[in-house]
Structure formats: C-alpha cells, structure tokens
Amino acid sequence: MKQFIAVLAAGIAMQLGVHAQSLTTTDTLQKGIRLEEVIISATNFSEKSKNIAQKIEVISARTIALANAQNTGDLLINTGKIFVQKSQQGGSSPVIRGFEASRVLLVIDGVRLNNAIYRSGHLQNIITTDQNSLSRLEIMYGPSSAIYGSDALGGAIHMITKGPVLSGSKKSLFTGTAFSRYSSVNEEKTFHADASIAGKKWGWLQAYNFSDFGDMRMGSNYPDKYPGFGQRDSFIVTHNNTDEIVANTDNRVQKFSGYRQWDITQKLLFKPTANSSHLLNVQLSNSTNVPRYDRLQDIRNRRLRYAQWFYGPQKRLLTAYEFTTRHAGFFDELKANINFQDIEESRQTREFRRFDRFDSRKERVKVWGATLSGRIDAGANEIVTGLDAQLNDVKSRAYRQNLLTGVKTPLDTRYPDGKNKLNSFAFFAQHIYKFGKGKWVLNDGLRLQYIHLNSNVIDNSFFNLPQTSITQNNWAVTGNIGLVHNAASTTIKANVSTGFRAPNIDDLAKIFESSTAAKQVVVPNANLKPEYTYNADITLVQTIAGRVTLEATGFYTLFRNAIVKAPYRLNGQDSILYNGVMSQVLASQNANKANLYGFTATLSANICHTVSVNSTVSYTKGYFLTDNSKASTVYEKQADGSYKLVSKKVSQRPLDHIPPVVGRTGIVFKNNWLNTEIFALYNGWKRLENYNPDGEDNAQYATAHGMPAWFTLNWRASFTLHPKLQLQAGIENITDRNYRYFASGFSAGGRNCIIALRANW
C-alpha cells in the first residue's frame, strides 16, 4: 500500500506540474465521443459508421477510461461481446465468432501485429499494447481479408493510439492525462501518464505505462458440484539446487502468476500545410518473465511436473512513419505508411529436480511493412485503392543447460533453425456508393494477394524429418459486398464477405508438446493449404421513441480447408519419444469442412436523463462435418484426471475455440459529478462433449463435465472532484465467485477492490 501511495503522490505532482504550464485546456475524453461516429478500420480512411455494412464495434477513450481494465484483454471482456481465453495472468486471447489467435487479425495504428509465428492456439500478444494509451478501439466482426489480407478470418481488432493535438495558433498547447491505480485481488499497482506538447505545425506526444501485478487470488465461492475447483494446493520451491514440493498456505492464491510490464509510446507530428502531415510513431513494450501458470499445474507421475515454465520478457518494438496528403493529383486523399517491428519471445522450462535440463527456446521476428492507399471522392462514389507489402524474417534458437555445471548443449528448436521467410504482396480496392437520397449505401471490395514462404532445417539430427526445406507460393482473391438501408428509426445492414489465411511458419514447421495430459506432440506438415471462410450476416438496428435502441446481428460462416491438429505419422510411426515420454504424433492438417453460426443481441435504453440500462448476449456454434463411416478420436476424462482414448462414429465433431454464451447487463446512473454502474458479466456452460479433443480447448483444465457457467456482479464509479480530476472506485466479482474462462488453465480473480485517481488537462 505504501508503494501505491508513493506512486499516487508522484502522479498528482506530475499532473499539477504539467497543468501549471498549460495555456489551453482540452478534455481528451470528450474527443473519444466525437470520434465514435467515425470508422477508420473499414477503408483505411475515416468513414461514417452508418455507411459501413460490416458489423463494427467502437470503444471510445471515455469508455476505456471508465472501464479501468487491467489490460487490453480485460477491456474486451468488459464489453460482454468478446470472449477472451487466458492461460496465465499475463495472457489474453480474444475470440471473434469462434475464431481465435492467428485467425483474428490484430492491428495497431494501421500496422499489422500478426506475424509469421502467430500460433493457432492461444496468444498473449494483445497485452503488449497499452490500453491506457488508446484513443479508440474498433472491433471488426466477420472476415476482413478484403481490406487487411491474411489472418482476418473471424475479424480484426484495430487499436488506435492517442496522437499529438496541434494548437492551431502560435501559442503552445499542453494536453494530457495521468492516473494511478491499485487493485486488491493481485496487489496491482499501475501508473500511467501521457502528455502532448504542440504548436501550430509541430506536435510531440509521449505516453508511459507501468504495471506491477502480484499473484492472483481466485474466488472462494466455488460451484456447488466442484468444491475446490482450480485451487493451488502445492507448488515447487528451489533452494540450494534442491526442488521441494510445499503446501500452499492459502490455496486460493495462484502462486507464480505475477509479473511486471512497461509500455512507452512516442509520436512526433509535423504538419507543414493544412493538407499534408508527417507522423513518426515509436512504441516499445517489455515485461519481466511471465509464468505460464497453466503448465505449472501439470501433473506427471502423480506430482507436479514443472519446477519452472515461463515466457521470457515479451519485447515488442514498432517504428512507423506515415505521410498523408490531400488533393494529391488523381487522389483526394493519399496515405503512405512504412514500418518496422522487432519482436522477441522465449520459453524456458525445467522439470522437477532436473537441474541438468533447463531448456530455453528463443524466437526473434523482424517485420518490414509498407502500405500505400488513396481515396477518390466522385459524387456519390468513394473509391479506395492500395498496395500492401509485408516481409517477415524468423530466427529460432534453443539450448539445454546443466544448471549445476553451466554446460550448454544443442536442443531442438521450436521452429526450423535455418532461414524462415514469409513475405506477402497485395493490391486492394474498396468502393462505397450512396444512392436513394443517401438512404441506401452499397459497399464492395476486392483484394488480390500473393504469399511466399520458405523454411529450412539445418540440424535434422533430433527428429530425422523427411523434409528439411519447405517452400510455398499461395495466391488468394477475397472480397466483400454489402448493402445498408438507413431510415428514420431503422437501419438494416446485410453483408457477404470472404476471408483467407495462408499457412505461416508456425502452422507448417513447428514442433512442440501439445498436451501433457494426453501425451501429444505436434510435428511439421509441409502439405498444408490456405484456409478460407465465406460469411453472410445481417444486422438490424431499431430505435424506439429516441430512447430505446435494439440491435441484433446474425451470421453464418462456411469454413473450408480448416487447419486442425489431427493424428499423423512421422517416418511411419504414430508415436515418438519427446521430452522422455512416448507421445502420440499430431500434425496440422486441412479438415474438409466446418460450419459456424451465431448471433449477438443488444439493448440500450435511456430510462430518464440520468439513468440508462444496457444488455448484450452473444451465442456461437461451430462444428466439423465428418464422414460418419469413419471413427473420430475422442478422449474421455476419468475420475483421477487422466484421459482415456476412445473412438466414436459421428457425423459432426465440435470445432475448437467455440466459446459458450457470453453476455453483460448493466444499469448506469450519471450526473454532473458522478458516473456509476452496477453490471453483471456472465458465461454459459461449455460441456465436455462440446470440447474438441485434438484442438486447443484444454479439457485437462476443466471439471469432469466441462467448464461450469458463471456470472459476476460488479460495481464501479467515477467521481468528479474537479473538472480535471476524477476519483474512480469499483468492486469486481462482489460475490467472490470462483470461475474460469473456457479453455483457460488460470482462474479469474475473486472479489477485487479498485481505486484510481485520474487527471486530465
């Protein structure tokens, strides 16, 4: 608590110091509201949301501040519309319409974050973006490949960071925000500050965020049928080169789940004329080691398997230069972006009492990107065309170290140890046509993309792979067409779109242990083909008496050539020795067909000037179509926690990554000095028979019947102490519910008291 008070005092001092220099005041949160009517993601340029046929959700700066979330993943959870999987506290893997990880595209400031080693399992990359530095966040539902290319099968999440605010005069303008926050459930201490110093033509913004997360405490109110679910009864401690399993004095504290993270954003803006601008954007994210909490619970030979399992520091560096100009010859608006990313991630493991086997695998990815796009306004028509290029280079290294002697020996790498290249080039076009006195809007678009992949194994002594060099050249054409009808109180949007994802280095060439419970290892498969989705959705928005808004969206998606993990043979063997254990061989393979469908329904109502209610619920169903003359591999969980292999003849198999029903309901009261909300977040049951046994659903971290349904009751409030100073408080999970998100090996936090002091100038 003393640390929190010190951070709080430093934040207030900084806020008052900068405010004393300010010549002009600006409410940065109000800017988020004004921007909310505009969509940036759909065409790469600003466009009114009412003209976009695709379902897009916008989270404004004001909403981000009020949510007061721990990270960007928790921010998405708070919408009640996005399911997020977690394998550890330092993890968040969003799911959009049943698609997750490498099938959901992450974009920040127009730059793709997805790279050549984004995996199909569960990712934590979204938390390397600082949600407190965002001016807005846009969620694109459904295939978005026509505008963004590969990976946007289920949708895209576009994060847009704050930028410098020019003064428009010779006087200097100082704007910014800062806050300090403390959370009791994990003793979180966060400090954030961002400030913009600008004149008429030059602007400079700097943002800093630091968070210290302790071990997470789970709730004490267990599901009736599953007392003690997820509790941490014991853990391994190491002293003087000796491992010992000790009892956890508080089994609701998830030992070794804490970590620290810091994020820096710097932007330099130069606007020499009213029609042109230059922007330099530099972002850095880094962390301490992040424990892989779910693997620290794994059991082998009736005892904890791992003494250590952690991700090394998650490092992300982004440097981008963007030039925009208006009235550039043929184009009314022209935008060019050149960017470079340097990403480093690693995995370190050591099994219980195996000081001779500390295994380290490290990956370094460098990505060069460039986009050039232009917009033409021709009366009722708007046309956007562009070029896009991405160059990925991956280096994978590994070693095994004897911690007693210090000797290091070679180890099989996660990806091939030679050259790994993934390069893509594309042309795209988007068109908007307004007719019928603006009541009708046609959207259509097309993208042609070429992707080249090359991967080489140098040391083949570990597995004697039958193929040491993989080369693929893939072409894809994707498109979208949609129609919008805007009436006085009714909006109808219909949209058809296609998506694709070319296999990346992770799909084609990775070797890793898939499941310790089922004893499975995944090996390379050079014969993979791109995945495709064909989607149709319709959205109806109805406003009643100007106070009540009802919105419903239904979708149906055909998933073809779906890449799934399935039994495989390596050199004629269906099992191999991996990490000292005979393990079943799996490989990524193209499944024949899969179908998905679902809906989202939302209600918003203004009861009176100060009170409003909101509610949303989302449902998704997904399954593979199989030949019922063949047996499917199914694992049944036994009473002792082990899995028994059985075979069943079925015509459908569950698709993995399909979340249960998710939803949110809240009531808001606000006046000039108070904004407060009581809300419930809830998830439905995910029964074990709806788990995919060969995929990433992680049945080993669920109960014997699957993942139980849950709901939490929450309260939060923001008190205006001064026009530029707010006190925020909240209680999450008031009933101290014990629960886990589906497919997660990490329990959510129990009752959590939050307090924050926030200032803007």
Side-chain angles (χ1 to χ4, degrees):
M1 192 66 181
K2 291 181 179 179
Q3 292 175 299
F4 168 67
I5 294 172
V7 171
L8 195 65
I12 295 172
M14 180 175 180
Q15 295 155 16
L16 296 178
V18 176
H19 175 61
Q21 304 174 53
S22 178
L23 299 177
T24 307
T25 60
T26 301
D27 185 351
T28 59
L29 295 182
Q30 293 297 328
K31 290 192 181 93
I33 293 176
R34 290 199 295 270
L35 283 170
E36 211 160 11
E37 295 181 351
V38 175
I39 299 296
I40 297 173
S41 303
T43 64
N44 275 342
F45 294 93
S46 298
E47 183 59 59
K48 291 181 179 179
S49 60
K50 69 177 184 179
N51 296 329
I52 303 300
Q54 185 173 7
K55 168 67 177 172
I56 300 179
E57 187 86 19
V58 178
I59 303 176
S60 70
R62 173 175 286 274
T63 302
I64 293 170
L66 290 174
N68 210 11
Q70 175 174 299
N71 58 41
T72 308
D74 288 340
L75 174 65
L76 294 173
I77 291 173
N78 269 273
T79 67
K81 299 178 181 179
I82 298 292
F83 179 84
V84 178
Q85 184 274 351
K86 291 193 175 189
S87 296
Q88 64 274 341
Q89 185 173 190
S92 286
S93 190
V95 181
I96 301 180
R97 293 187 175 178
F99 293 94
E100 185 186 352
S102 58
R103 292 164 177 157
V104 170
L105 183 67
L106 303 181
V107 182
I108 188 164
D109 293 333
V111 179
R112 291 172 53 100
L113 293 183
N114 292 44
N115 57 53
I117 63 170
Y118 263 43
R119 56 190 180 274
S120 60
H122 309 296
L123 289 175
Q124 68 271 16
N125 300 70
I126 197 169
I127 72 166
T128 66
T129 62
D130 171 25
Q131 82 279 9
N132 299 309
S133 295
L134 298 179
S135 66
R136 60 196 280 110
L137 187 149
E138 298 180 0
I139 306 168
M140 306 179 69
Y141 293 86
S144 307
S145 292
I147 187 68
Y148 285 117
S150 182
D151 298 2
L153 291 179
I157 299 175
H158 193 172
M159 295 158 284
I160 302 162
T161 60
K162 300 175 183 178
V165 180
L166 298 182
S167 67
S169 67
K170 293 183 179 180
K171 292 184 178 181
S172 296
L173 174 66
F174 298 85
T175 62
T177 63
F179 78 89
S180 299
R181 180 178 65 228
Y182 174 81
S183 300
S184 64
V185 75
N186 57 357
E187 297 187 348
E188 174 210 0
K189 294 169 281 290
T190 290
F191 173 69
H192 172 89
D194 62 76
S196 173
I197 306 172
K200 184 177 182 180
K201 295 184 177 181
W202 290 88
W204 170 256
L205 177 137
Q206 54 278 326
Y208 306 94
N209 196 88
F210 172 78
S211 294
D212 184 350
F213 304 109
D215 292 336
M216 179 73 77
R217 177 187 293 272
M218 68 182 74
S220 62
N221 182 12
Y222 293 95
D224 292 339
K225 294 183 179 180
Y226 312 102
F229 174 54
Q231 67 186 22
R232 180 83 148 138
D233 293 321
S234 61
F235 57 90
I236 297 173
V237 296
T238 303
H239 183 68
N240 292 332
N241 294 328
T242 301
D243 286 337
E244 182 181 358
I245 298 177
V246 299
N248 191 358
T249 55
D250 186 344
N251 58 22
R252 292 195 294 114
V253 174
Q254 298 176 90
K255 292 290 292 184
F256 309 124
S257 62
Y259 72 103
R260 295 188 298 275
Q261 180 172 325
W262 47 97
D263 302 274
I264 301 172
T265 299
Q266 303 281 324
K267 287 187 176 182
L268 178 63
L269 174 66
F270 175 50
K271 192 175 178 66
T273 69
N275 293 324
S276 64
S277 66
H278 305 263
L279 178 66
L280 180 64
N281 183 356
V282 180
Q283 300 174 18
L284 175 66
S285 179
N286 201 354
S287 72
T288 59
N289 294 333
V290 180
R292 177 71 185 268
Y293 181 80
D294 58 347
R295 289 301 180 94
L296 291 177
Q297 301 174 87
D298 285 350
I299 301 295
R300 174 173 288 179
N301 299 326
R302 298 183 180 180
R303 68 184 183 192
L304 292 172
R305 177 181 177 183
Y306 288 107
Q308 293 176 280
W309 207 127
F310 60 89
Y311 292 107
Q314 299 180 126
K315 301 178 182 179
R316 180 180 69 88
L317 171 66
L318 166 67
T319 303
Y321 163 73
E322 184 172 282
F323 169 71
T324 59
T325 183
R326 295 179 181 273
H327 311 301
F330 186 68
F331 295 98
D332 292 283
E333 191 171 359
L334 190 67
K335 180 187 297 184
N337 187 299
I338 301 173
N339 54 80
F340 170 74
Q341 297 179 74
D342 192 349
I343 302 103
E344 183 178 305
E345 62 179 51
S346 61
R347 295 161 177 81
Q348 277 72 231
T349 63
R350 182 178 66 82
E351 295 185 343
F352 182 61
R353 292 181 177 172
R354 293 306 303 264
F355 291 93
D356 59 328
R357 290 176 50 163
F358 177 79
D359 294 349
S360 177
R361 293 176 171 89
K362 180 182 292 186
E363 278 67 55
R364 183 100 177 255
V365 186
K366 295 183 178 181
V367 185
W368 294 262
T371 58
L372 176 65
S373 55
R375 180 165 69 178
I376 303 169
D377 294 326
N381 293 277
E382 295 179 19
I383 302 172
V384 173
T385 61
L387 300 172
D388 181 14
Q390 304 287 324
L391 309 177
N392 286 249
D393 178 75
V394 180
K395 294 193 182 304
S396 189
R397 300 290 181 263
Y399 66 84
R400 171 169 289 169
Q401 183 176 9
N402 186 317
L403 297 181
L404 301 177
T405 65
V407 175
K408 295 182 179 180
T409 56
L411 183 67
D412 57 292
T413 54
R414 181 175 175 87
Y415 303 108
D417 56 350
K419 293 183 178 180
N420 297 284
K421 305 285 186 182
L422 180 66
N423 302 326
S424 69
F425 307 91
F427 166 80
F428 62 90
Q430 289 287 319
H431 170 239
I432 293 177
Y433 173 56
K434 304 167 190 173
F435 60 100
K437 297 182 179 180
K439 291 185 178 180
W440 293 89
V441 184
L442 174 69
N443 293 197
D444 54 275
L446 194 69
R447 184 184 185 97
L448 173 64
Q449 184 143 355
Y450 165 72
I451 295 182
H452 171 77
L453 179 147
N454 180 256
S455 181
N456 297 282
V457 174
I458 296 176
D459 186 353
N460 195 28
S461 61
F462 292 98
F463 297 103
N464 190 29
L465 299 173
Q467 191 169 352
T468 59
S469 180
I470 299 174
T471 300
Q472 280 200 353
N473 296 289
N474 291 305
W475 290 87
V477 177
T478 53
N480 64 281
I481 185 167
L483 189 64
V484 180
H485 176 61
N486 292 308
S489 59
T490 304
T491 297
I492 301 175
K493 299 183 177 184
N495 190 54
V496 177
S497 56
T498 63
F500 93 102
R501 190 178 79 88
N504 61 19
I505 301 295
D506 186 272
D507 296 305
L508 285 166
K510 177 175 63 176
I511 299 176
F512 81 112
E513 187 176 51
S514 175
S515 170
T516 57
K519 300 178 181 178
Q520 298 170 332
V521 59
V522 176
V523 300
N525 177 13
N527 299 315
L528 286 179
K529 299 176 182 178
E531 302 174 296
Y532 292 90
T533 53
Y534 306 90
N535 178 81
D537 57 51
I538 186 167
T539 298
L540 172 65
V541 183
Q542 181 71 50
T543 302
I544 304 172
R547 289 179 174 271
V548 179
T549 300
L550 299 170
E551 181 175 342
T553 300
F555 73 92
Y556 194 94
T557 302
L558 303 178
F559 191 13
R560 298 298 179 258
N561 283 348
I563 296 176
V564 300
K565 293 179 181 65
Y568 190 72
R569 287 182 176 271
L570 178 64
N571 297 324
Q573 296 180 310
D574 60 7
S575 298
I576 61 172
L577 194 66
Y578 187 76
N579 280 342
V581 177
M582 188 59 66
S583 303
Q584 180 194 18
V585 176
L586 303 179
S588 295
Q589 300 172 57
N590 291 104
N592 205 7
K593 296 178 180 178
N595 295 346
L596 302 96
Y597 58 88
F599 69 87
T600 297
T602 301
L603 164 69
S604 301
N606 295 320
I607 305 301
C608 61
H609 180 66
T610 57
V611 179
S612 62
V613 296
N614 56 80
S615 187
T616 183
V617 63
S618 297
Y619 170 82
T620 306
K621 177 74 172 180
Y623 55 89
F624 292 113
L625 300 177
T626 64
D627 181 351
N628 60 13
S629 66
K630 297 181 179 179
S632 292
T633 302
V634 177
Y635 290 95
E636 290 184 350
K637 192 169 187 177
Q638 307 300 298
D640 63 358
S642 64
Y643 285 78
K644 180 180 179 182
L645 178 64
V646 298
S647 294
K648 294 182 179 179
K649 293 183 178 180
V650 294
S651 58
Q652 294 181 3
R653 287 177 55 209
L655 184 63
D656 52 350
H657 304 284
I658 303 300
V661 172
V662 299
R664 183 187 192 277
T665 299
I667 181 168
V668 179
F669 173 84
K670 60 181 178 181
N671 57 23
N672 292 334
W673 63 274
L674 173 65
N675 187 320
T676 184
E677 181 181 21
I678 296 177
F679 63 98
L681 293 170
Y682 38 90
N683 277 199
W685 259 97
K686 180 73 174 186
R687 302 286 179 180
L688 195 64
E689 58 265 27
N690 293 322
Y691 277 59
N692 181 293
D694 297 324
E696 303 290 344
D697 286 350
N698 291 334
Q700 67 269 29
Y701 301 127
T703 72
H705 304 100
M707 197 64 76
W710 58 266
F711 84 93
T712 62
L713 186 64
N714 313 273
W715 167 79
R716 65 186 180 199
S718 177
F719 306 89
T720 300
L721 307 178
H722 182 274
K724 298 176 178 61
L725 188 65
Q726 298 87 39
L727 174 66
Q728 291 181 291
I731 305 176
E732 296 177 337
N733 196 0
I734 294 172
T735 62
D736 206 26
R737 178 78 176 187
N738 180 284
Y739 68 100
R740 280 185 176 181
Y741 299 104
F742 156 66
S744 301
F746 178 74
S747 297
R751 185 182 299 115
N752 183 27
C753 298
I754 302 171
I755 186 169
L757 189 63
R758 186 181 298 268
N760 60 277
W761 58 88

